[in-house]
Amino acid sequence: QVQLVESGGGVVQPGRSLRLSCAASGFTFNRYAMYWVRQAPGKGLEWVAVISYDGSVKKYADSVEGRFTISRDDSKNTLYLQMNSLRADDTAVYYCARDQREYSYGYPLPYWGQGTLVTVSS
Amino acid sequence: EVVMTQSPVTLSVSPGERATLSCRASQSVGTNLAWYQQKPGQAPRLLIYSASTRATGIPARFSGSGSGTEFTLTISSLQSEDFAVYYCQQYNNWPLTFGGGTKVEIK
Protein backbone atom coordinates (compact mmCIF):
# COMPACT_ATOMS: atom_id res chain seq x y z
CA GLN A 1 0.00 0.00 0.00
CA VAL A 2 1.11 3.55 -0.63
CA GLN A 3 2.82 5.17 2.34
CA LEU A 4 4.20 8.67 2.69
CA VAL A 5 6.01 9.56 5.90
CA GLU A 6 7.17 13.11 6.53
CA SER A 7 9.91 14.09 8.94
CA GLY A 8 12.12 17.04 9.78
CA GLY A 9 9.62 19.41 11.33
CA GLY A 10 10.25 21.31 14.54
CA VAL A 11 10.67 24.72 16.08
CA VAL A 12 12.97 27.12 14.25
CA GLN A 13 13.76 30.80 14.65
CA PRO A 14 12.74 33.34 12.01
CA GLY A 15 15.32 33.64 9.25
CA ARG A 16 16.72 30.16 9.81
CA SER A 17 16.47 27.07 7.60
CA LEU A 18 14.89 23.64 7.84
CA ARG A 19 14.72 20.64 5.52
CA LEU A 20 11.72 18.37 5.40
CA SER A 21 11.80 14.83 4.07
CA CYS A 22 9.07 12.52 2.83
CA ALA A 23 9.85 8.81 2.57
CA ALA A 24 7.69 7.04 0.01
CA SER A 25 6.89 3.35 -0.32
CA GLY A 26 4.35 1.05 -1.90
CA PHE A 27 4.60 2.49 -5.41
CA THR A 28 7.16 3.19 -8.12
CA PHE A 29 8.37 6.56 -6.86
CA ASN A 30 10.07 7.74 -10.06
CA ARG A 31 6.82 7.53 -12.01
CA TYR A 32 4.93 10.15 -10.05
CA ALA A 33 4.99 13.88 -9.45
CA MET A 34 5.14 14.80 -5.80
CA TYR A 35 3.79 17.77 -3.88
CA TRP A 36 4.08 19.72 -0.67
CA VAL A 37 0.87 21.19 0.75
CA ARG A 38 0.70 23.06 4.05
CA GLN A 39 -1.94 23.97 6.58
CA ALA A 40 -1.48 26.75 9.10
CA PRO A 41 -3.03 26.07 12.54
CA GLY A 42 -6.81 26.25 12.28
CA LYS A 43 -6.65 27.30 8.63
CA GLY A 44 -7.21 25.78 5.20
CA LEU A 45 -4.96 24.01 2.75
CA GLU A 46 -2.30 25.81 0.72
CA TRP A 47 -0.35 24.23 -2.12
CA VAL A 48 3.38 24.93 -1.71
CA ALA A 49 5.36 23.16 -4.43
CA VAL A 50 5.37 20.36 -6.99
CA ILE A 51 8.14 18.40 -8.67
CA SER A 52 7.53 16.34 -11.78
CA TYR A 53 8.21 12.62 -11.92
CA ASP A 54 11.62 13.19 -13.53
CA GLY A 55 12.52 16.35 -11.62
CA SER A 56 12.55 18.48 -14.74
CA VAL A 57 9.64 20.68 -13.66
CA LYS A 58 9.39 22.46 -10.33
CA LYS A 59 6.68 24.95 -9.45
CA TYR A 60 6.18 27.03 -6.33
CA ALA A 61 3.54 29.13 -4.69
CA ASP A 62 4.36 32.82 -4.81
CA SER A 63 4.49 32.85 -1.01
CA VAL A 64 7.56 30.57 -0.99
CA GLU A 65 9.19 31.26 -4.38
CA GLY A 66 12.88 32.02 -3.93
CA ARG A 67 12.96 30.73 -0.35
CA PHE A 68 11.89 27.08 -0.66
CA THR A 69 13.34 24.38 -2.92
CA ILE A 70 11.67 21.08 -3.73
CA SER A 71 13.82 18.12 -4.77
CA ARG A 72 13.71 14.35 -4.96
CA ASP A 73 16.15 11.46 -4.66
CA ASP A 74 14.70 8.56 -6.59
CA SER A 75 17.43 6.21 -5.36
CA LYS A 76 16.10 6.76 -1.83
CA ASN A 77 12.40 7.15 -2.74
CA THR A 78 12.46 10.41 -0.87
CA LEU A 79 11.04 13.88 -1.46
CA TYR A 80 12.55 16.97 0.15
CA LEU A 81 11.61 20.54 0.90
CA GLN A 82 14.47 22.89 1.73
CA MET A 83 13.04 25.90 3.52
CA ASN A 84 15.24 28.98 3.92
CA SER A 85 14.58 32.44 5.37
CA LEU A 86 11.68 31.09 7.36
CA ARG A 87 9.00 33.48 8.57
CA ALA A 88 6.33 33.25 11.23
CA ASP A 89 3.67 32.82 8.56
CA ASP A 90 5.39 29.64 7.36
CA THR A 91 4.20 27.98 10.56
CA ALA A 92 2.06 25.05 9.46
CA VAL A 93 1.67 21.33 9.15
CA TYR A 94 3.45 20.32 5.96
CA TYR A 95 2.04 17.39 4.02
CA CYS A 96 3.64 15.56 1.14
CA ALA A 97 1.28 14.10 -1.42
CA ARG A 98 1.43 12.03 -4.59
CA ASP A 99 -0.12 12.82 -7.94
CA GLN A 100 -2.92 10.66 -9.23
CA ARG A 101 -1.35 9.92 -12.60
CA GLU A 102 1.92 8.40 -13.70
CA TYR A 103 4.33 10.41 -15.85
CA SER A 104 2.38 13.63 -15.46
CA TYR A 105 1.64 16.37 -12.97
CA GLY A 106 -1.17 18.72 -12.05
CA TYR A 107 -3.77 16.13 -11.18
CA PRO A 108 -5.64 15.35 -7.95
CA LEU A 109 -3.87 14.04 -4.87
CA PRO A 110 -5.14 10.64 -3.73
CA TYR A 111 -2.31 9.91 -1.28
CA TRP A 112 -1.08 12.10 1.57
CA GLY A 113 1.32 11.69 4.43
CA GLN A 114 0.37 12.38 8.03
CA GLY A 115 2.16 15.73 8.02
CA THR A 116 4.99 17.30 10.00
CA LEU A 117 4.61 20.48 12.03
CA VAL A 118 6.92 23.41 11.43
CA THR A 119 6.80 26.22 13.96
CA VAL A 120 8.69 29.41 13.23
CA SER A 121 9.11 31.38 16.42
CA SER A 122 11.75 33.24 18.35
CA GLU B 1 -4.73 32.94 -9.47
CA VAL B 2 -8.07 31.14 -9.45
CA VAL B 3 -9.87 31.96 -6.21
CA MET B 4 -12.08 29.17 -4.87
CA THR B 5 -14.96 30.24 -2.62
CA GLN B 6 -16.88 27.68 -0.57
CA SER B 7 -20.24 28.14 1.06
CA PRO B 8 -21.51 27.90 3.65
CA VAL B 9 -18.56 28.11 6.02
CA THR B 10 -20.42 25.89 8.49
CA LEU B 11 -23.29 23.52 7.78
CA SER B 12 -25.30 22.04 10.64
CA VAL B 13 -27.00 18.80 9.63
CA SER B 14 -28.70 15.96 11.48
CA PRO B 15 -27.52 12.38 10.87
CA GLY B 16 -29.44 10.84 7.99
CA GLU B 17 -30.14 14.19 6.36
CA ARG B 18 -28.81 15.45 3.06
CA ALA B 19 -25.93 17.94 2.91
CA THR B 20 -25.21 20.20 -0.03
CA LEU B 21 -21.90 22.05 -0.20
CA SER B 22 -21.04 24.68 -2.81
CA CYS B 23 -17.78 25.75 -4.42
CA ARG B 24 -17.35 28.64 -6.83
CA ALA B 25 -14.31 29.41 -8.96
CA SER B 26 -13.34 32.96 -9.93
CA GLN B 27 -12.85 31.76 -13.51
CA SER B 28 -13.72 28.63 -15.41
CA VAL B 29 -11.82 25.51 -14.38
CA GLY B 30 -13.78 23.18 -16.65
CA THR B 31 -14.27 19.97 -14.69
CA ASN B 32 -10.79 20.04 -13.16
CA LEU B 33 -12.20 20.14 -9.67
CA ALA B 34 -11.60 17.85 -6.71
CA TRP B 35 -13.19 17.52 -3.28
CA TYR B 36 -11.36 16.42 -0.14
CA GLN B 37 -12.54 15.48 3.33
CA GLN B 38 -10.45 16.25 6.38
CA LYS B 39 -11.07 15.12 9.94
CA PRO B 40 -9.29 16.64 12.95
CA GLY B 41 -5.67 15.56 13.19
CA GLN B 42 -5.79 13.72 9.89
CA ALA B 43 -4.57 14.34 6.37
CA PRO B 44 -7.08 15.24 3.67
CA ARG B 45 -8.73 12.38 1.82
CA LEU B 46 -9.64 12.62 -1.86
CA LEU B 47 -13.38 12.10 -2.37
CA ILE B 48 -14.21 13.33 -5.86
CA TYR B 49 -12.16 14.31 -8.91
CA SER B 50 -13.06 15.51 -12.38
CA ALA B 51 -15.96 17.25 -10.61
CA SER B 52 -18.09 14.11 -10.41
CA THR B 53 -15.97 10.94 -10.27
CA ARG B 54 -15.73 9.21 -6.92
CA ALA B 55 -12.24 8.25 -5.84
CA THR B 56 -11.42 4.65 -5.00
CA GLY B 57 -13.32 3.37 -1.97
CA ILE B 58 -15.56 6.41 -1.57
CA PRO B 59 -19.18 5.50 -0.72
CA ALA B 60 -21.93 6.20 -3.21
CA ARG B 61 -23.62 8.65 -0.84
CA PHE B 62 -20.98 11.17 -1.92
CA SER B 63 -21.62 12.78 -5.29
CA GLY B 64 -20.23 15.77 -7.14
CA SER B 65 -21.59 17.90 -9.91
CA GLY B 66 -20.93 21.07 -11.83
CA SER B 67 -18.58 22.55 -14.38
CA GLY B 68 -17.04 25.87 -15.26
CA THR B 69 -17.34 27.99 -12.13
CA GLU B 70 -20.08 26.36 -10.05
CA PHE B 71 -19.69 23.02 -8.26
CA THR B 72 -21.61 21.05 -5.67
CA LEU B 73 -20.75 18.20 -3.32
CA THR B 74 -23.77 16.30 -2.04
CA ILE B 75 -23.81 13.82 0.80
CA SER B 76 -27.12 12.04 0.42
CA SER B 77 -27.57 10.72 3.97
CA LEU B 78 -25.05 11.89 6.52
CA GLN B 79 -23.36 9.23 8.61
CA SER B 80 -21.54 9.94 11.86
CA GLU B 81 -18.17 9.53 10.15
CA ASP B 82 -19.02 12.24 7.59
CA PHE B 83 -18.83 15.12 10.05
CA ALA B 84 -15.65 16.82 8.94
CA VAL B 85 -14.28 19.74 6.91
CA TYR B 86 -14.59 19.58 3.14
CA TYR B 87 -12.36 21.40 0.69
CA CYS B 88 -12.66 21.93 -3.03
CA GLN B 89 -9.53 22.29 -5.16
CA GLN B 90 -9.03 23.33 -8.76
CA TYR B 91 -6.26 21.79 -10.82
CA ASN B 92 -6.96 23.56 -14.09
CA ASN B 93 -4.46 26.37 -13.55
CA TRP B 94 -1.28 27.04 -11.60
CA PRO B 95 -1.07 27.73 -8.78
CA LEU B 96 -3.27 24.94 -7.52
CA THR B 97 -5.80 26.51 -5.19
CA PHE B 98 -8.14 25.28 -2.51
CA GLY B 99 -11.33 26.71 -1.16
CA GLY B 100 -11.51 27.85 2.43
CA GLY B 101 -13.48 24.80 3.49
CA THR B 102 -16.96 23.95 4.74
CA LYS B 103 -17.30 22.41 8.17
CA VAL B 104 -20.14 19.92 8.39
CA GLU B 105 -21.22 19.65 12.02
CA ILE B 106 -23.84 17.73 13.90
CA LYS B 107 -27.09 19.62 14.36
Side-chain angles (χ1 to χ4, degrees):
Chain A
Q1 70 283 17
V2 173
Q3 272 201 309
L4 300 170
V5 179
E6 301 94 337
S7 61
V11 180
V12 61
Q13 293 179 328
R16 304 297 290 266
S17 299
L18 204 61
R19 189 177 81 158
L20 305 183
S21 301
C22 171
S25 61
F27 64 100
T28 306
F29 184 69
N30 62 12
R31 293 182 181 180
Y32 291 90
M34 298 294 296
Y35 299 73
W36 289 100
V37 177
R38 69 184 180 183
Q39 187 170 37
K43 303 298 184 183
L45 300 167
E46 179 188 16
W47 168 74
V48 173
V50 60
I51 185 168
S52 61
Y53 70 96
D54 61 357
S56 64
V57 176
K58 300 177 184 180
K59 293 182 181 289
Y60 300 92
D62 286 347
S63 57
V64 307
E65 179 84 59
R67 299 187 300 122
F68 290 11
T69 302
I70 190 171
S71 62
R72 62 191 298 156
D73 185 337
D74 292 345
S75 68
K76 296 181 179 179
N77 287 353
T78 301
L79 174 73
Y80 301 101
L81 186 67
Q82 178 68 42
M83 304 185 294
N84 298 333
S85 303
L86 282 161
R87 310 185 305 219
D89 61 359
D90 294 319
T91 294
V93 173
Y94 284 74
Y95 296 100
C96 70
R98 198 204 81 179
D99 201 288
Q100 185 181 52
R101 297 193 185 185
E102 292 182 328
Y103 303 119
S104 190
Y105 66 94
Y107 288 94
L109 307 176
Y111 299 102
W112 297 63
Q114 85 289 350
T116 187
L117 176 62
V118 173
T119 303
V120 183
S121 174
S122 54
Chain B
E1 168 176 321
V2 180
V3 177
M4 306 301 292
T5 303
Q6 291 186 242
S7 61
V9 173
T10 305
L11 185 61
S12 298
V13 186
S14 299
E17 288 188 341
R18 182 187 193 92
T20 303
L21 289 66
S22 296
C23 175
R24 174 177 293 177
S26 60
Q27 64 188 72
S28 177
V29 297
T31 56
N32 295 314
L33 190 285
W35 290 94
Y36 298 84
Q37 176 194 67
Q38 188 179 33
K39 297 179 181 179
Q42 296 185 17
R45 177 173 73 142
L46 178 65
L47 299 176
I48 300 285
Y49 63 94
S50 298
S52 61
T53 303
R54 278 189 302 277
T56 302
I58 301 303
R61 64 181 182 272
F62 291 91
S63 63
S65 63
S67 65
T69 62
E70 300 284 343
F71 301 89
T72 300
L73 174 70
T74 301
I75 311 171
S76 60
S77 176
L78 271 158
Q79 306 298 303
S80 58
E81 61 267 30
D82 301 335
F83 292 97
V85 179
Y86 293 82
Y87 294 95
C88 61
Q89 178 228 336
Q90 67 81 22
Y91 51 96
N92 193 65
N93 298 85
W94 295 95
L96 305 181
T97 48
F98 292 87
T102 291
K103 181 179 181 180
V104 178
E105 64 176 25
I106 301 174
K107 186 175 183 180

